Amino acid sequence: MGRKRPSQANAQEKLSRKLTTIFGTVIANRIGYGGRKINTLFPLDAELNLPAEQYSHGLRQRVAVEVARSGFRETVDIIEKQQQPKLVNGKQKN
């Protein structure tokens, strides 16, 4: 309607955001498009189906399943243990 398309809006500097996944926290760098009186749009976030909040869809689903299965405290322990770096032959696996 009255919204400008990203190609018509001003490109902003690269912005970053944290995303916590079942593998740990990652930093996503992206470019936002916006202008005065226009909400900044992040086309790559939509293309990758990233949630607006910090926690990924996969992590939310895993937490829901684990809480139903074993309770809150146990779920926190399970998720924290899963997000720890894995070691292979004494070296961190990337």
Side-chain angles (χ1 to χ4, degrees), residues 52-70:
E53 299 81 19
Q54 178 179 345
Y55 302 100
S56 72
H57 300 299
L59 181 59
R60 292 174 190 206
Q61 181 181 11
R62 179 70 191 268
V63 167
V65 168
E66 293 299 335
V67 165
R69 194 180 291 165
S70 58

Side-chain angles (χ1 to χ4, degrees), residues 4 7 17 26-28 32 36 42 44 46 49 55-56 59 68 73 79 84 86-87 94:
K4 291 182 179 181
S7 61
R17 65 173 279 200
V26 296
I27 303 295
R36 287 190 170 173
F42 299 97
L44 187 58
N49 195 27
Y55 302 100
S56 72
L59 181 59
R73 184 68 238 161
I79 298 299
Q84 291 177 354
K86 308 290 185 263
L87 298 179
N94 294 332

Side-chain angles (χ1 to χ4, degrees), residues 84-93:
Q84 291 177 354
K86 308 290 185 263
L87 298 179
V88 176
N89 297 329
K91 295 182 181 179
Q92 184 172 343
K93 183 179 178 182

